[in-house]
Amino acid sequence: MDSSLMTDSIQRARKLVSGLKAKLGRVPTACVVTFGCQMNARDSEKLTGILIQAGFLIVEEESADFVIYNTCTVRDNANQRVYGRLGYVGGLKKKNPHMKIALCGCMMQEPTVIEKIKKTYRFVDLVFGTHNLYKFPEYLVSCLSQDGQIIDIWDKPDEIEENLPTVRKYPFKSGVNIMFGCNNFCTYCIVPYVRGRERSREPKEIIKECERLVSEGVTEVMLLGQNVNSYGRGLENPISFPELLKEVEKIEGIKRIRFMTSHPKDLSDELIETIKNSDKICRHIHLPLQSGSSKILKAMNRCYDKERYLEVAEKIRREIPDVSITTDIIVGFPGETPEDVDETIDVIRRVEYDNAFTFIYSKRTGTPAASMENQVPEEESHKQFDRVLAEVQKYAKKQSSRFEGRVMEALVEEVNENDSSLVTGRLSNNIIVHFPGSADMVGKYVNVKLNECKGFYYLGEAVCE
Ligand code: SAH
Ligand code: SF4
Ligand code: F3S
């Protein structure tokens, strides 16, 4: 989009917000509520940036004058949470009719959801999807200047908008989209349907954004994509993900580079080498397993089997011993037997994950798995879920305690929420450490002695160099 058009919309939104300010006798407030993954969190930073430019004061409370829910639909419970919040905020709007309520994000790309909003949630003022987020300034103008429900959903993107204002949650770290969408069509997953086909950003745009972030005080970037290992394939001048990493590494001022997510089928030796030889790339790889059973992996269309996965994971452990490996596991995929779950548990025992997110399979309308026979009864899935979780927790405890007594560098992220004499930092391997400190340490890198492992985090103390 022409960025002058966007600026023009923001100017018009500013006028409307300033009119509202005069009417209310105070600065109008806005609240952005995010569900889902880092991509959505990054999108919310863009929404927040636009709202601030329009003159809103950002607050945490959903009693704000403008409330926007950035939704997720990866599992049904994400959808249910949104409907729950809508019930609550609808009640608030009855008392404050000037309130505006908006919905955006992945869930809005589903036609059944839109039907439901039109029928049951008439009080929602604005609805848009994942492909037209950059139009938010224009929608904001319409929404603030007229009554009635505005709904605009596109079934595919038109272009990558590079110039949206953003506001970061943390001044010192930021997500950076390197690609959008997904082409993998894992049979259980709705993401390709709601986020569209895979599109990589031009490396020069990514580098430019990283340099700008550094000039604003960022030292840690997280490169985001549904499958970063296939980055660059569709570009006019193709470039691999490790090559991009090496470019980002050259940027002076960046101290830490993270990335999410690595699909095991595309993880190359070049990537392992690049991480191994880098001082900046963090010692953490999120490598979603989904299932340890080759039969289930095939039905999931994951394009790797148990052996290939183990080969990759073992190679990472061998080449980069300090690395944390985390994963995602789905239990209860159609046709999964207790023997298949045994295979998953076998992989957990062999890889010894540092942490794992375990999910019960959720049927997503329109995906191939939703119409597969042999759907697993809920009760059975819960039983198997408990077995997997117990195993995951056992290894996660064992793995995180392996650093006890070591001195490691932490980036201080915040003053501890429960005890203000402590600060909370994150290690390169993504482990959290709490240690005595003060607010002026936030955003700084501190060497910390990891005194005591408390399961999934450490208690420690800063050490002088
Ligand atoms: N692109 C990432 C995953 C994004 S979704 C990847 O391929 O690794 C995050 C996680 O949600 C997935 O790894 C998967 O474990 C889980 N998930 C996705 N669809 C699901 C479904 N229908 N039911 C349960 N879990 C699901
Ligand atoms: Fe979903 Fe698979 Fe794409 Fe990940 S790689 S977003 S699980 S389809
Ligand atoms: Fe959810 Fe969309 Fe992310 S469905 S997991 S918010 S890409």
Side-chain angles (χ1 to χ4, degrees), residues 35-40 70-75 78 105-107 130 190-191 194-195 226:
F35 299 87
C37 63
Q38 270 97 350
M39 314 266 172
N40 254 23
N70 190 7
T71 63
C72 169
T73 185
V74 78
R75 286 172 291 276
C106 295
M107 201 175 142
T130 54
I190 200 161
V191 170
V194 297
R195 286 275 175 178
Q226 293 298 353

Side-chain angles (χ1 to χ4, degrees), residues 176-192:
V176 174
N177 296 108
I178 62 166
M179 59 212 295
F180 301 94
C182 181
N183 280 354
N184 291 303
F185 289 95
C186 303
T187 54
Y188 51 82
C189 184
I190 200 161
V191 170

Side-chain angles (χ1 to χ4, degrees), residues 43 61 96 202 206 216 296 369:
D43 283 348
E61 298 79 31
N96 299 305
E202 286 292 340
I206 297 169
E216 292 169 6
I296 296 294

Side-chain angles (χ1 to χ4, degrees), residues 197-398:
R197 293 294 63 71
E198 184 180 290
R199 291 139 0 248
S200 292
R201 281 176 77 193
E202 286 292 340
K204 65 171 190 316
E205 294 292 347
I206 297 169
I207 302 299
K208 209 162 81 186
E209 179 172 351
C210 290
E211 286 170 348
R212 200 198 68 228
L213 289 166
V214 167
S215 75
E216 292 169 6
V218 166
T219 59
E220 179 181 304
V221 290
M222 179 175 298
L223 308 180
L224 298 172
Q226 293 298 353
N227 175 14
V228 292
N229 294 331
S230 64
Y231 170 77
R233 280 184 196 163
L235 291 172
E236 211 167 297
N237 300 308
I239 151 172
S240 72
F241 179 56
E243 283 164 349
L244 176 74
L245 278 172
K246 285 178 198 148
E247 287 306 309
V248 175
E249 227 187 334
K250 285 185 202 150
I251 301 172
E252 222 173 293
I254 287 192
K255 288 203 61 172
R256 277 183 176 181
I257 306 167
R258 298 185 184 277
F259 55 84
M260 184 84 101
T261 294
S262 266
H263 195 306
K265 80 178 162 80
D266 299 314
L267 195 140
S268 62
D269 288 352
E270 190 192 354
L271 179 66
I272 300 177
E273 273 307 296
T274 307
I275 302 172
K276 187 177 163 181
N277 297 330
S278 168
D279 293 332
K280 295 188 177 182
I281 303 172
C282 288
R283 272 25 193 172
H284 174 214
I285 299 183
H286 187 63
L287 194 65
L289 168 67
Q290 314 302 2
S291 169
S293 151
S294 295
K295 175 193 100 192
I296 296 294
L297 286 169
K298 190 155 194 274
M300 287 176 161
N301 189 32
R302 288 291 286 178
C303 304
Y304 55 86
D305 59 10
K306 182 184 178 187
E307 282 61 43
R308 162 77 184 145
Y309 183 94
L310 283 170
E311 204 182 293
V312 172
E314 278 158 13
K315 187 161 207 170
I316 296 170
R317 285 263 187 247
R318 197 169 58 238
E319 295 294 322
I320 323 168
D322 269 357
V323 81
S324 281
I325 304 182
T326 59
T327 201
D328 291 342
I329 294 169
I330 298 177
V331 178
F333 182 84
E336 189 178 61
T337 62
E339 290 70 39
D340 292 316
V341 178
D342 289 344
E343 299 279 341
T344 301
I345 290 177
D346 184 46
V347 176
I348 298 170
R349 288 184 180 151
R350 288 163 72 170
V351 178
E352 306 198 349
Y353 290 107
D354 293 77
N355 207 349
F357 299 100
T358 310
F359 307 108
I360 288 186
Y361 167 72
S362 173
K363 199 172 175 174
R364 310 314 291 135
T365 310
T367 61
S371 50
M372 283 181 189
E373 287 169 13
N374 315 325
Q375 298 284 327
V376 178
E378 212 179 303
E379 202 183 312
E380 176 63 17
S381 297
H382 280 278
K383 210 167 95 192
Q384 300 301 332
F385 177 87
D386 291 344
R387 280 177 68 206
V388 171
L389 190 67
E391 211 67 30
V392 157
Q393 286 178 340
K394 193 163 88 193
Y395 288 100
K397 261 200 185 129
K398 177 181 162 200

